[in-house]
Amino acid sequence: MLALHNIATATHPVLSLLSGRSFLRNISTTLVMSKECKFTQEPHKLLVIPGPIEVTDEVLYANAHPSMSHMSPDFSAVFGDCIRMTRQILYTKDAQPFLIAGSGTLGWDQVSSNLVEPGENALVLHSGYFADSFADCLQTYGAKVDQVKAEVGGAVGEAEIKSALLSKRYKIVTVTHVDTSTGVLSDIKRVAETVQRVSPDTLVVVDGVCSVASEEIRMDDWGIDVVMTASQKGLGTPPGLSVLVASRRAMKVYESRATPITSYYASWKKWLPIMNAYEKNSAAYFATPPVNLIYAYHASLRQITQAPDSLEDRFKAHKEASKRVKKTVGDLGLRCVPLDEGVSANGMTAIYFPEGLGASDIIPRLLKKGVVVAGGLHASIKDKYFRIGHMGVTAVDPQRGDIDKVIDALKETLAEAKASKA
């Protein structure tokens, strides 16, 4: 049921939608409204999987915006703002954002169909599950794919990258910034430097689904050609929006391709005029954008880019939250999946179960304490570990107490699980 307190319906247009007892009985999102007309979410289990993540009250409220025409001037201005603020997140002045309805997976299709032509070579740096998936997508569109695989918990080294690049000419190199399956953080700045030195014509493509807005990415300064991500992780928005940003160099490669684009929905030929129109606060049509989700994304981007704290402060907050969680893991005698601190993500932690305990001993107990974590994903260790997300509002707003709750629940759960086996 939708609980609303002190409603003044004239203060926000969304409230006109909330009349009628049957609607109030059937709506699933539980919200509370204060005198200031801001929603406050009712108590719920703390969502700390590596995405989707907790969202702020303001973002959730924006998602409840009344239905709007995607061609309206009001919406066009909001969409245009989102394009410009997306550039700010990635420290780029002139790269081209594509905001399209879809999951982060759509970014793979965009790269595979717009930048790589059938028969061209692609090099995939493998640090977990999602490299295999990206490779599969590239192959689906006709690319010839090689992978350089790190051991589980590791990132591909500079010497291995150099050796692969010297073996043949690659159109693109892909690297997963944070692989959600392992919690491994790859050094994308160093990867880009290596590619530029050894094979300067090769495009550097970063899968940043689990890193954007929780890890630093300086797209222009580091020479990164594509960053693809999604709305539901560090960007702090509900799922459903594919976010990809392509450098000027990448766009020139797209424009000069010799063969037709191999996708319909993911084609930049279709989407580029749409993005250009919205950035000019106008509107154009190819496929209907997720209007309400764009409003939510806009609210989150404003919180990130216009907060009193800088982006650098935001990244520092993620590092501090990560250190707290990982210190607790070590103090409890547990071991993280990443092989060392240098390859450990700041927005999530992947933790091996202790000897004699498994998922059924840990995850349900955490759930009973109101903490929702994720099980394993990497095929070779799937049943041996679990994952905790600590990104977005959970990391940057200590007054919420999310990190404290996670740490306390983890300590209690481990003690209870061990006692049950005694």
Side-chain angles (χ1 to χ4, degrees):
M1 189 179 80
L2 184 67
L4 296 172
H5 296 277
N6 300 310
I7 293 177
T9 55
T11 59
H12 196 289
V14 73
L15 297 179
S16 65
L17 297 176
L18 302 180
S19 60
R21 292 182 179 179
S22 62
F23 181 87
L24 292 172
R25 280 197 300 268
N26 293 330
I27 192 166
S28 60
T29 306
T30 305
L31 306 166
V32 180
M33 193 176 204
S34 70
K35 291 181 180 180
E36 293 78 22
C37 267
K38 292 181 179 178
F39 285 128
T40 301
Q41 299 168 60
E42 284 192 349
H44 60 278
K45 291 181 174 65
L46 178 63
L47 184 61
V48 284
I49 64 175
I53 68 168
E54 291 283 327
V55 302
T56 66
D57 297 332
E58 292 81 4
V59 169
L60 190 57
Y61 185 50
N63 204 46
H65 195 283
S67 292
M68 292 282 290
S69 167
H70 54 288
M71 305 298 284
S72 69
D74 288 346
F75 176 70
S76 298
V78 170
F79 202 129
D81 282 346
C82 287
I83 291 172
R84 290 181 283 272
M85 287 189 286
T86 298
R87 288 195 187 97
Q88 289 181 251
I89 300 290
L90 296 172
Y91 295 93
T92 180
K93 294 180 180 178
D94 59 2
Q96 178 60 58
F98 291 90
L99 311 180
I100 305 174
S103 73
T105 304
L106 181 59
W108 296 338
D109 288 82
Q110 290 182 65
V111 169
S112 301
S113 62
N114 291 283
L115 294 178
V116 185
E117 300 187 48
E120 291 184 324
N121 298 317
L123 179 65
V124 174
L125 307 183
H126 187 294
S127 57
Y129 173 93
F130 289 94
D132 285 327
S133 300
F134 203 161
D136 184 31
C137 183
L138 285 160
Q139 289 171 330
T140 298
Y141 285 92
K144 295 179 179 178
V145 179
D146 296 317
Q147 292 196 55
V148 180
K149 294 192 176 186
E151 63 180 307
V152 176
V156 178
E158 184 177 347
E160 297 169 287
I161 299 170
K162 181 179 178 181
S163 176
L165 290 173
L166 290 172
S167 69
K168 66 177 70 171
R169 180 178 179 179
Y170 287 100
K171 184 69 169 290
I172 66 169
V173 170
T174 77
V175 55
T176 309
H177 195 188
V178 172
D179 196 292
T180 317
S181 73
T182 58
V184 167
L185 173 70
S186 292
D187 187 342
I188 58 172
K189 180 182 179 182
R190 182 167 293 181
V191 169
E193 289 171 348
T194 302
V195 174
Q196 290 155 18
R197 184 175 67 253
V198 179
S199 182
D201 291 334
T202 300
L203 298 178
V204 178
V205 176
V206 172
D207 181 338
V209 170
C210 197
S211 68
V212 171
S214 60
E215 306 281 357
E216 182 180 37
I217 303 176
R218 294 185 177 269
M219 196 170 175
D220 289 352
D221 291 348
W222 297 352
I224 294 170
D225 294 295
V226 176
V227 176
M228 45 162 288
T229 188
S231 54
Q232 76 274 13
K233 302 201 180 196
L235 288 167
T237 308
L241 186 66
S242 169
V243 179
L244 183 144
V245 183
S247 70
R248 289 290 101 196
R249 188 169 82 129
M251 294 307 296
K252 288 179 181 178
V253 169
Y254 147 74
E255 290 164 0
S256 63
R257 63 181 290 131
T259 60
I261 295 165
T262 49
S263 173
Y264 182 75
Y265 183 68
S267 170
W268 289 350
K269 184 178 181 181
K270 303 289 187 183
W271 284 112
L272 184 58
I274 310 305
M275 298 301 125
N276 288 339
Y278 277 117
E279 187 162 12
K280 295 174 183 176
N281 295 338
S282 183
Y285 178 73
F286 165 54
T288 306
V291 175
N292 285 57
L293 192 56
I294 292 292
Y295 274 101
Y297 183 50
H298 185 266
S300 186
L301 287 174
R302 282 175 58 89
Q303 289 181 330
I304 295 170
T305 63
Q306 300 178 25
D309 296 332
S310 65
L311 275 173
E312 290 80 3
D313 292 329
R314 180 181 182 86
F315 301 138
K316 182 179 178 181
H318 279 83
K319 289 180 179 179
E320 290 172 350
S322 179
K323 286 179 181 178
R324 288 191 62 199
V325 173
K326 290 173 174 61
K327 182 180 184 302
T328 299
V329 169
D331 291 345
L332 291 172
L334 303 178
R335 186 165 57 95
C336 291
V337 173
L339 298 176
D340 60 65
E341 188 176 319
V343 294
S344 294
N346 293 299
M348 65 168 291
T349 302
I351 309 163
Y352 283 112
F353 294 116
E355 190 69 29
L357 297 177
S360 61
D361 300 302
I362 301 297
I363 295 176
R365 283 186 168 89
L366 286 169
L367 187 61
K368 287 181 180 179
K369 298 179 188 301
V371 175
V372 183
V373 300
L377 183 61
H378 194 292
S380 65
I381 56 171
K382 185 175 181 180
D383 299 324
K384 298 179 180 180
Y385 76 113
F386 66 106
R387 297 169 296 146
I388 299 173
H390 35 79
M391 62 189 93
V393 67
T394 287
V396 302
D397 185 358
Q399 293 183 349
R400 288 171 55 98
D402 290 359
I403 301 299
D404 293 329
K405 184 171 183 176
V406 169
I407 289 172
D408 291 343
L410 188 58
K411 289 177 179 178
E412 293 170 8
T413 292
L414 190 60
E416 291 171 6
K418 286 183 176 179
S420 72
K421 302 290 185 178

